[in-house]
Amino acid sequence: MTAKKVVIIGASSGMGYALAQIYLSQGCHTALLARTIAPMQALANHFPALPHYVHQLDVCQPALVNKVLTEVTHNLGSIDLLIHCAGYGEVNPHLDFAVEEGMIETNVKGFTAVVDWTFQYFLQQQKGHLAVITSVAGLHGDRHAPGYFASKAYQISYLQALHHRARKSQLPIFITDIRPGFVDTKPIEGKRFWMCSAETAARYIFRAIERRKRIAYITPRWKWVALAIKLVPDALYEKIM
Ligand SMILES: NC(=O)c1ccc[n+]([C@@H]2O[C@H](COP(=O)([O-])OP(=O)(O)OC[C@H]3O[C@@H](n4cnc5c(N)ncnc54)[C@H](OP(=O)(O)O)[C@@H]3O)[C@@H](O)[C@H]2O)c1
């Protein structure tokens, strides 16, 4: 059987790094991308026998996204699975525009550049699997981090649209929307409700991707929080939160 060819964007830390460990240990031919190369290179060095590629990429530069992904495809030969983990989130209670702009650049502009390139590539290849880490945060606006929650809602809606396009194309193109609750990575240090480690999250994400799930809550019990968010009337939500 030929090895799966996997691209992970945002593989230098957090869930992307933990996923890179899993895919490399599964023997997949892997390309790891982010702005910081050193941790990805160090990880890939543990698997010297496997074909792997480490590239620097800032997703906020769309021309670079196209160039690097084209180069990566050439190196790997093709792409079976692209996992987009790159993201940026901060609370911003004072609506500092520079903070909002950073999240829009990464989570909206950068995300769109990556998923548009990938979807077009999969259409051309007539198959493929795109998985993106969005968030439970995308299900309702939040007064502490309006830009972050809104950018995640954008991602969720965009993936819904791509899934619809994939179904209409009748091609085996799969879209997986991964929605974590709290994961113990840099953006939210300290103990939080139902928080898991990046490694635990990555194990659940891997399983969801292998099952080609359309939507996966991480950890799975976060689906109950998602359900509550959808069912609770706005007036009650505003009182509690
Ligand atoms: N942690 C949580 O509780 C949580 C919950 C729900 C959803 N999420 C989402 O999960 C995703 C992964 O986050 P994480 O928690 O694993 O955090 P993380 O450790 O900060 O990882 C973020 C990754 O994105 C990369 N990245 C950021 N900006 C980039 C850019 N402009 N170009 C290329 N790569 C970029 C970072 O690499 P470089 O800085 O080296 O470029 C890093 O590899 C994010 O979308 C986040 O919003 C996190």
Side-chain angles (χ1 to χ4, degrees):
M1 214 173 82
T2 52
K4 198 169 184 172
K5 293 167 180 180
V6 182
V7 176
I8 304 176
I9 305 182
S12 62
S13 65
M15 287 177 265
Y17 181 88
L19 279 165
Q21 282 181 310
I22 294 178
Y23 280 96
L24 283 164
S25 62
Q26 293 283 319
C28 296
H29 297 188
T30 308
L32 309 178
L33 316 178
R35 291 167 302 182
T36 321
I37 287 205
M40 301 188 290
Q41 194 65 66
L43 173 61
N45 287 346
H46 286 110
F47 302 87
L50 272 182
H52 57 258
Y53 304 91
V54 173
H55 285 260
Q56 192 166 47
L57 175 65
D58 179 354
V59 295
C60 300
Q61 298 182 44
L64 209 60
V65 169
N66 295 348
K67 183 176 172 287
V68 171
L69 288 178
T70 304
E71 207 174 305
V72 160
T73 312
H74 180 74
N75 289 342
L76 284 174
S78 61
I79 302 173
D80 299 311
L81 167 67
L82 185 141
I83 313 175
H84 184 65
C85 309
Y88 166 54
E90 267 192 52
V91 292
N92 190 16
H94 305 300
L95 302 182
D96 176 347
F97 182 71
V99 174
E100 300 296 54
E101 193 178 24
M103 291 185 282
I104 294 165
E105 281 284 309
T106 311
N107 301 347
V108 176
K109 187 170 114 181
F111 156 85
T112 308
V114 167
V115 300
D116 278 5
W117 185 94
T118 308
F119 193 79
Q120 310 270 26
Y121 170 75
F122 287 158
L123 278 179
Q124 196 190 321
Q125 182 178 250
Q126 307 212 319
K127 62 177 179 170
H129 190 164
L130 167 67
V132 179
I133 304 187
T134 65
S135 176
V136 169
L139 300 177
H140 198 290
D142 177 79
R143 65 197 165 100
H144 303 289
Y148 180 70
F149 280 58
S151 69
K152 291 296 172 179
Y154 173 91
Q155 295 183 344
I156 287 173
S157 172
Y158 210 99
L159 293 176
Q160 222 163 34
L162 293 184
H163 167 72
H164 194 181
R165 285 197 59 168
R167 292 289 66 81
K168 289 282 180 195
S169 76
Q170 299 191 334
L171 292 168
I173 296 175
F174 302 95
I175 309 287
T176 298
D177 175 352
I178 297 151
R179 301 178 185 171
F182 290 126
V183 182
D184 195 3
T185 60
K186 269 184 306 190
I188 51 151
E189 279 157 2
K191 277 265 164 273
R192 298 276 176 102
F193 171 74
W194 280 357
M195 181 139 92
C196 70
S197 68
E199 291 70 27
T200 300
R203 280 197 298 278
Y204 280 113
I205 294 169
F206 175 76
R207 200 183 307 168
I209 291 174
E210 290 307 294
R211 291 176 182 173
R212 292 179 176 161
K213 285 192 81 168
R214 168 68 194 97
I215 296 168
Y217 290 96
I218 307 296
T219 55
R221 62 184 174 176
W222 275 88
K223 67 173 174 275
W224 301 115
V225 176
L227 186 66
I229 292 170
K230 285 176 194 164
L231 292 179
V232 166
D234 273 356
L236 182 60
Y237 184 95
E238 285 157 15
K239 217 172 188 172
I240 305 169
M241 300 303 282

